[in-house]
Amino acid sequence: MSTLEQDSAGFVTPRRPAISLPKLRWTQMLAISIFYLALTFHWAALGLIILPSQVFKLVGDADKGVALAFVVVPGAFVSLFANPMFGALSDRTRGWLATWGRRRPYIVMGTLVNIGALIWMAASRDILSLAIAYAVVQFSSNAAQAPFHALLPDIVPAEQRGTASGVMGLLQTFGTIGGVIIAGLFLDSSKPLPIYQQELWLTYGIIIVILLVLMLVTILSVHERQGASAQLAALEAAANPPSVAQTARRPWFQRIPRPIVLNVAMTLIVAGAAWGIMTLWNALNIANIQINSNVEQVILEIIATIGLLRLFDFHPRRDPDFAWVLLTRLVMMLGIYTIQTYLLFYMRDAVGAPHPEQQTTNFTIIVALTSLISAFVVGWLSDRYGRKRMVYLAGGFMALVGLIFILSHSLPIVLAAGAIFGLGYGAYQSVDWALVADVLPSHKNYARDMGVWNISLSLPGVVAPVIGGPIIDSFVRSGHPIVGYQVLFAMAIVYCLIGTVAVRYVRGVKK
C-alpha cells in the first residue's frame, strides 16, 4: 500500500505518494532514452538546416525572415496544446489500449503520422503547403513526445534521475550532430532547383528511417508495468472498485467536466475581445500607432497559452516550484531559440559565409561536441552537488556567447564561441529533465504535467520567430543586417540571465 513517507527526492504529498521504483541498469536507461536521439535528429535537421534552407529556396532573400516565421509559428502554436493534450490522454488511457501501456500506443501512432507529414513537407512547393505540413509534423510529433517524456519520471527512481537526464543529454547531442551533419552535407540552396529537390528528398528519407527504427527499439524495450503511474493505478483500482453507476456509459459530451467547458469558453471570449480591441485600435488609428499582425499574433497566443495552462490544471500558487521551473525553462529556451532560429541567416548575412548551410552545420557540431563534455558529467554532478548550481553555470556560458556574437562576426571567432555555447547548453539540457522530474506535482498525471512543462519549449518557438523575423527583414532592407542580429543577440542575453536568476526561487530543490 502506498504511504506518505518521504522519498529520496523529498517531495511526498497526498498528490505524490511514495512509490517504489527499482534501480535501472545503464542499458535500461539507454532503452528508455534512445527514441530521444531520433527526435533530436529530426528537430535539429528541420529547425537548423532544412526549414531555413527550404524557405530561402522558395521565397528568396528579401522576405526570408517573415516567411520562416509564417511556417514555424503555426506549428509551434499547435505544439502548445498538442503536447499537454496527448500527455493527459496518455495518463487517462484505460481498457484494451492500456494493455499495450499508457505511453507506447501514442508513441507508435504519433511517429507514423509524423512520417507521413514529413513526406508532405518534402513534396511542398509553396510556403502555405509547407506551413500546413509542418503544423501536422508538430501535432503528430508531440503526440509521441508527450507520453515519451513521461517515461523518465515514471520509470526512473529519484536517485538516478540526474544520471538518466545525463544519458538523455548525451543522446540529444548525438542526435543533434547527426541531424545537422546529414542535412548540411546534402542540402545546398545555391544548386539548381531539380538537384536541390533530390537532396531534399534524400535528407527527409534519412530522418524517416531513423525515426521509425529507434521508435521500435524504445517501445519493444520499455516495460511500463513497473512504472509509478502503473503502480498508482493498480493501488487506486484495488482501493476503489468501479460501481455500476461509474461503469455506465454516457455520451462523450456529458463526460467533459464543467470547469473545462467554462475554461475553454472564457479563453475564447478573452481572445475574441482582445482581437476586437486591437482591430478597433487600428481602425481608429489611436495615437497614430498601428498594432502590426506580429504583435497581435503574440498577444493572442499568450492568451491561448494561459488558457491551456489552466485547462491542464496548472496552479502556480499550489505548485510554486513547478511554476518556477516552467518559467526558468521558458525564458532560457527563448534565448536559445532567438539564436538558433536565425543562425543560418546570421551565417549568410553577418558572417558572409559562402555556404551558410555548411557553416551552420560546423557550428552545431562544435556545440554538440563540447556539450558532450558537460552533458553526462553535469547530470551526474547534479545528483551530488545540486541542480541549481548547474543552471547558473549553463546560463552564464550561453549569455557570454550572445555577447561574443554582438562584438564579432568573424567566422573563426563565431565557431570558437560555439564551443563555449556547447558547454553551457549541454550543462543545461542534462540537468533540465532532472530538475522538472524533482518537482512534478502529481504521480497520477506525469504525462500531462510533462506536457505542461513542454509548453515552456513550445511558446518560445512561437515568440522568437514572430519577434526576430520582422527585425531581421527590416534591417536587411535598410542595408544594416548586422545591427538586426546584434539586437536579437542582446535580447538573447537578457533571456538567459533571467532564466538563470529564476531557478533560485525553486525552494524544493535546495542547491
Side-chain angles (χ1 to χ4, degrees):
M1 193 172 177
S2 108
T3 68
L4 298 185
E5 296 174 0
Q6 188 174 24
D7 67 8
S8 59
F11 296 99
V12 177
T13 70
R15 300 176 70 232
R16 286 177 59 97
I19 296 291
S20 176
L21 295 175
K23 283 196 173 184
L24 303 178
R25 300 187 304 272
W26 72 269
T27 52
Q28 292 174 300
M29 290 188 191
L30 186 61
I32 294 170
S33 310
I34 194 67
F35 185 52
Y36 198 47
L37 188 151
L39 291 173
T40 53
F41 185 100
H42 168 280
W43 287 112
L46 279 183
L48 290 169
I49 306 294
I50 296 175
L51 273 180
S53 178
Q54 201 169 352
V55 166
F56 177 79
K57 196 67 175 177
L58 289 172
V59 304
D61 187 57
D63 299 310
K64 62 183 184 296
V66 172
L68 182 59
F70 181 83
V71 173
V72 170
V73 168
F77 183 69
V78 165
S79 71
L80 283 176
F81 67 84
N83 204 291
M85 181 182 74
F86 281 106
L89 288 174
S90 173
D91 285 330
R92 287 163 175 73
T93 297
R94 302 291 187 273
W96 68 269
L97 188 61
T99 59
W100 296 92
R102 291 186 175 185
R103 319 302 182 196
R104 288 187 291 181
Y106 297 94
I107 293 172
V108 173
M109 294 305 300
T111 302
L112 293 178
V113 176
N114 189 4
I115 287 171
L118 287 172
I119 294 172
W120 183 0
M121 285 184 67
S124 297
R125 296 295 176 264
D126 58 74
I127 289 295
L128 179 60
S129 176
L130 185 63
I132 296 172
Y134 182 71
V136 178
V137 166
Q138 283 277 18
F139 184 81
S140 54
S141 181
N142 278 277
Q145 286 183 62
F148 170 72
H149 288 157
L151 289 176
L152 176 64
D154 205 10
I155 295 177
V156 181
E159 63 271 18
Q160 289 186 299
R161 285 175 184 163
T163 302
S165 187
V167 172
M168 298 281 278
L170 284 173
L171 291 174
Q172 180 185 36
T173 299
F174 289 130
T176 300
I177 290 174
V180 298
I181 284 178
I182 293 299
L185 179 65
F186 290 114
L187 285 183
D188 185 353
S189 57
S190 65
K191 291 183 178 179
L193 184 59
I195 297 176
Y196 181 80
Q197 289 174 345
Q198 292 176 5
E199 296 173 342
L200 201 63
W201 276 106
L202 178 59
T203 307
Y204 276 110
I206 294 172
I207 295 173
I208 288 169
V209 170
I210 290 175
L211 272 177
L212 183 61
V213 170
L214 296 189
M215 178 270 291
L216 291 173
V217 171
T218 291
I219 65 165
L220 294 174
S221 302
V222 173
H223 303 289
E224 290 189 50
R225 292 182 181 179
Q226 299 176 358
S229 62
Q231 292 184 43
L232 186 60
L235 289 169
E236 290 180 343
N240 303 295
S243 65
V244 174
Q246 288 173 324
T247 56
R249 295 188 62 82
R250 293 180 298 163
W252 66 269
F253 55 86
Q254 292 182 6
R255 298 198 296 269
I256 301 175
R258 181 179 175 83
I260 290 180
V261 176
L262 292 176
N263 180 76
V264 172
M266 184 58 65
T267 301
L268 292 175
I269 290 170
V270 172
W275 178 79
I277 291 171
M278 290 185 291
T279 302
L280 183 62
W281 179 286
N282 287 338
L284 298 177
N285 197 26
I286 297 175
N288 293 321
I289 298 175
Q290 290 288 300
I291 304 173
N292 65 38
S293 60
N294 294 312
V295 175
E296 290 180 354
Q297 194 171 22
V298 169
I299 292 173
L300 294 176
E301 285 161 358
I302 290 174
I303 292 171
T305 300
I306 294 171
L308 285 169
L309 290 172
R310 293 184 61 84
L311 179 64
F312 293 108
D313 198 35
F314 174 69
H315 293 285
R317 291 184 179 179
R318 184 191 65 199
D319 305 308
D321 285 343
F322 185 51
W324 280 111
V325 169
L326 195 76
L327 177 63
T328 295
R329 192 189 198 215
L330 190 150
V331 291
M332 197 74 86
M333 294 308 300
L334 190 56
I336 292 170
Y337 275 143
T338 298
I339 295 174
Q340 177 180 294
T341 304
Y342 296 102
L343 182 60
L344 190 146
F345 294 162
Y346 172 73
M347 290 291 186
R348 182 187 302 276
D349 297 338
V351 178
H355 186 354
E357 289 92 349
Q358 186 60 56
Q359 294 305 330
T360 303
T361 297
N362 293 338
F363 179 90
T364 309
I365 290 172
I366 292 171
V367 169
L369 289 175
T370 54
S371 68
L372 282 173
I373 299 172
S374 56
F376 188 79
V377 173
V378 168
W380 178 79
L381 287 174
S382 73
D383 283 336
R384 288 152 180 80
Y385 302 107
R387 321 284 194 214
K388 291 182 179 179
R389 293 172 181 173
M390 304 302 122
V391 175
Y392 300 152
L393 179 70
F397 275 129
M398 289 190 284
L400 176 60
V401 171
L403 180 61
I404 293 173
F405 279 7
I406 291 174
L407 298 177
S408 176
H409 313 292
S410 165
L411 181 59
I413 294 177
V414 168
L415 293 178
I420 301 173
F421 187 83
L423 291 173
Y425 186 72
Y428 180 71
Q429 291 294 332
S430 68
V431 79
D432 193 23
W433 288 84
L435 188 64
V436 72
D438 285 345
V439 299
L440 284 175
S442 168
H443 279 311
K444 186 177 180 180
N445 298 295
Y446 268 151
R448 184 204 66 191
D449 292 338
M450 290 295 282
V452 170
W453 175 67
N454 271 296
I455 287 178
S456 63
L457 178 66
S458 303
L459 186 59
V462 173
V463 175
V466 168
I467 295 176
I471 289 175
I472 288 175
D473 287 348
S474 174
F475 281 98
V476 167
R477 293 192 189 102
S478 67
H480 302 90
I482 293 177
V483 178
Y485 292 103
Q486 289 174 325
V487 171
L488 282 187
F489 296 143
M491 293 164 58
I493 292 172
V494 173
Y495 297 144
C496 288
L497 292 177
I498 292 173
T500 302
V501 172
V503 77
R504 70 187 298 267
Y505 297 104
V506 182
R507 304 300 183 189
V509 178
K510 298 303 180 185
K511 55 184 181 179

